[in-house]
Amino acid sequence: MIAGAVVGGGAGASSIFYNPAIISEINESKLSLNASLFAYEINNANNILGENIDLQSTRFYAVPRSVSYMHKPRNHPGWSLEFAYLNVANSEFNGINFTEKNIDILTHLPGTENYKAYTDLKTDIRTDFYGAGGSIKISENFFAGASMFVSVNSKYSMYQLDINATPTKIEQNDELAFYNAKYETQEMVKFNDYRLLWKFGLFYKKPRFSAGINITTPSVGGIYSDGKKVMRKQGQNNITNPETGVPMNNFMIVDYAEKKEVSVTAKSPFAIAAGCTYSTPDKKKVLYTTVEYFAGVGSYRMVKVDEDTNLGAGSFLENEDFSDWLTFVEGANPIFNAAVGYRSYLKNNLMLLTGFKTDFNYKKKKETSPTNPDKSIKSNDVDYYHFTSGLTLRIKGQDITAGLQYTLGLNNDTKQLVNLSNPVEFNFDELRALQGTRTKTVKTIYNSFTFLLAASFNFGGNQKK
């Protein structure tokens, strides 16, 4: 409820993730459950398909956020252990658009054409951590800790664009009765990538002040992956060069691979976080602050396939290089995030918790050069701002927390997926038929409302505290 501003103390059941050295703050063993009872989100991507041509995605869902067990060994009071499952990322976009209008796009034909474009974008990205960690008391005020996680990075993305242009004025027995100019593209990628990463933390604590630092290693892959599928298709038909009037070649290139044919890797960056807490003399009010830096990750091939070199055989494309046809690329910009939280005792057994944190998108405006940027997974990348508030009630030594989280997401001036508002028969700038040149005019507004519920069941220790 204090928005992750807990690297310097007060992390509770999430210590294993934010700073494993803070696991030593527990005075008793405890089992903790944290869930989003329900969440509702609205994602409006304005101009993403052209001027005033938008995609909208809405979702209503419930998901467990974390389950953890913290153990205080009686025979080793200086040690504290924790085992946990955490859902650290869960995003989804599901938008469909159908655009239809009468325009003169086929320059070699008289009159106007009926222009129809169907666009479908689906993404489902999730990251789950399964980990164990521990901390040790070095001195009265100083603690150190480490944790290890198996991260499961699940990605699914499907993008489909189907554009047709047919003459609107057709006389009886006209040879144009069955004429249709067409461009289509479709791509799909799906996989689960299992990786290892470690966190190392230090924690310093005084009666009214505490501070901590946490280092997260880049993830190590090549352990295991499953659910792997990848497909890409692109083709055009009945397109004429608008400059010369000469018909262009028809083509259709499509390929698919799965399972052992596909190699995947979903890297995560090095990160370092620092935070501190400060409390009033009576310890009834506490301020929390945290900043975190994520290093960049250079462009790399996230999905690779030993491609069929004969994709273009027997056509005018037989000399083209299709070695990266089923390749998908990824990368990350370096970013800073910050969080601030506040806790206040309203009564001896009732606390008010509030927080704010940023969650800037590492992919936004990321250039994947020298790899073709059209090989990246299609997505609507948004910067998030999280506002949380809730209450914690201690009843007979057990803690119950309930609260609300509001998330605002913004994305301005990023590049369109396609330009359907100003299409031309063939776009020489982007080598695409029946579409215009994409501009950096996408503006996204995301709103999410989440009801959170958490419970901690304490074992032993002073439960009346």
Side-chain angles (χ1 to χ4, degrees):
M1 287 297 170
I2 46 182
V6 291
V7 172
S14 59
S15 297
I16 190 174
F17 179 79
Y18 287 106
N19 183 351
I22 302 176
I23 299 174
S24 288
E25 277 197 309
I26 65 169
N27 297 309
E28 55 203 359
S29 298
K30 62 173 65 181
L31 175 67
S32 299
L33 308 174
N34 186 323
S36 300
L37 284 189
F38 64 82
Y40 180 69
E41 63 182 25
I42 306 172
N43 198 337
N44 291 298
N46 301 313
N47 304 322
I48 194 169
L49 305 179
E51 185 177 354
N52 298 320
I53 306 178
D54 312 327
L55 283 178
Q56 183 183 81
S57 175
T58 60
R59 178 169 64 141
F60 182 86
Y61 65 99
V63 61
R65 290 200 167 190
S66 66
V67 179
S68 71
Y69 175 69
M70 306 177 79
H71 181 62
K72 196 74 172 177
R74 294 182 179 180
N75 297 332
H76 302 279
W79 284 87
S80 300
L81 305 174
E82 184 173 5
F83 307 89
Y85 155 78
L86 305 99
N87 172 236
V88 299
N90 180 13
S91 66
E92 183 177 315
F93 189 94
N94 187 355
I96 294 175
N97 175 271
F98 181 75
T99 296
E100 182 177 11
K101 53 189 173 181
N102 289 337
I103 57 175
D104 185 9
I105 188 172
L106 305 181
T107 56
H108 67 292
L109 296 181
T112 61
E113 288 77 42
N114 182 237
Y115 179 88
K116 296 180 180 179
Y118 173 81
T119 310
D120 188 358
L121 175 64
K122 294 182 174 68
T123 60
D124 188 355
I125 298 174
R126 181 184 177 103
T127 302
D128 296 297
F129 279 15
Y130 301 84
S135 65
I136 186 171
K137 184 177 182 180
I138 305 298
S139 67
E140 188 65 27
N141 305 110
F142 191 62
F143 306 84
S147 56
M148 183 180 77
F149 291 94
V150 176
S151 70
V152 184
N153 303 279
S154 302
K155 293 184 184 290
Y156 169 75
S157 175
M158 192 281 291
Y159 173 66
Q160 179 180 353
L161 174 64
D162 192 303
I163 308 174
N164 294 270
T166 57
T168 57
K169 295 182 179 180
I170 301 174
E171 302 295 336
Q172 189 174 6
N173 299 322
D174 195 323
E175 64 178 4
L176 297 179
F178 302 101
Y179 191 92
N180 180 63
K182 182 180 183 67
Y183 174 86
E184 62 179 309
T185 185
Q186 185 175 354
E187 59 186 47
M188 183 272 293
V189 60
K190 183 179 185 295
F191 65 83
N192 302 307
D193 186 27
Y194 299 75
R195 305 177 67 84
L196 289 176
L197 61 86
W198 292 263
K199 291 175 177 282
F200 302 96
L202 298 173
F203 179 52
Y204 177 78
K205 186 176 183 180
K206 296 289 283 185
R208 293 180 55 193
F209 172 82
S210 64
I213 187 171
N214 181 60
I215 293 174
T216 303
T217 68
S219 60
V220 177
I223 300 171
Y224 180 70
S225 59
D226 62 14
K228 297 178 290 185
K229 298 178 181 179
V230 58
M231 183 273 286
R232 180 174 269 121
K233 176 173 70 173
Q234 183 179 325
Q236 69 180 39
N237 193 52
N238 290 334
I239 302 298
T240 297
N241 187 321
E243 296 180 354
T244 66
V246 176
M248 304 181 75
N249 289 305
N250 299 333
F251 71 89
M252 174 62 69
I253 300 296
V254 60
D255 201 10
Y256 171 86
E258 64 179 10
K259 298 181 180 178
K260 293 183 179 180
E261 300 173 319
V262 183
S263 298
V264 301
T265 181
K267 298 180 181 180
S268 61
F270 167 85
I272 183 169
C276 64
T277 69
Y278 181 79
S279 65
T280 57
D282 59 5
K283 297 184 180 180
K284 289 188 175 182
K285 298 179 181 179
V286 184
L287 179 67
Y288 302 82
T289 60
T290 289
V291 293
E292 186 166 17
Y293 169 74
F294 295 85
V297 177
S299 298
Y300 67 96
R301 288 170 172 81
M302 181 175 63
V303 177
K304 296 186 295 183
V305 175
D306 289 333
E307 190 53 77
D308 180 2
T309 58
N310 297 317
L311 279 180
S315 74
F316 73 101
L317 296 172
E318 62 182 355
N319 294 322
E320 294 292 323
D321 182 9
F322 290 101
S323 58
D324 279 332
W325 184 250
L326 291 180
T327 292
F328 283 85
V329 302
E330 184 67 289
N333 292 311
I335 56 172
F336 276 98
N337 279 315
V340 60
Y342 175 74
R343 186 190 74 188
S344 176
Y345 274 93
L346 303 179
K347 295 182 178 181
N348 288 337
N349 65 338
L350 182 65
M351 289 186 295
L352 170 67
L353 308 171
T354 61
F356 166 78
K357 74 172 180 177
T358 63
D359 187 3
F360 296 127
N361 193 289
Y362 63 86
K363 283 184 60 179
K364 196 174 73 170
K365 300 181 181 179
K366 171 66 178 177
E367 295 294 337
T368 53
S369 178
T371 309
N372 187 339
D374 284 336
K375 299 293 187 181
S376 60
I377 287 181
K378 303 295 187 294
S379 59
N380 183 35
D381 304 318
V382 177
D383 291 327
Y384 297 107
Y385 303 86
H386 304 283
F387 304 83
T388 57
S389 184
L391 297 170
T392 294
L393 178 66
R394 171 158 281 209
I395 304 175
K396 296 182 178 181
Q398 317 305 322
D399 297 320
I400 306 296
T401 300
L404 295 173
Q405 175 176 288
Y406 166 68
T407 299
L408 172 66
L410 299 173
N411 174 11
N412 293 318
D413 302 327
T414 53
K415 200 169 189 177
Q416 297 167 330
L417 288 179
V418 62
N419 186 341
L420 303 177
S421 58
N422 301 293
V424 295
E425 184 164 6
F426 190 82
N427 185 328
F428 288 96
D429 292 333
E430 301 196 5
L431 301 179
R432 298 288 187 268
L434 303 179
Q435 54 198 278
T437 300
R438 293 174 294 170
T439 60
K440 295 182 178 181
T441 55
V442 177
K443 297 184 183 298
T444 298
I445 299 178
Y446 170 95
N447 290 278
S448 173
F449 304 88
T450 306
F451 177 61
L452 304 169
L453 183 65
S456 293
F457 305 97
N458 306 301
F459 307 98
N462 183 7
Q463 296 188 353
K464 295 181 181 182
K465 185 177 177 179

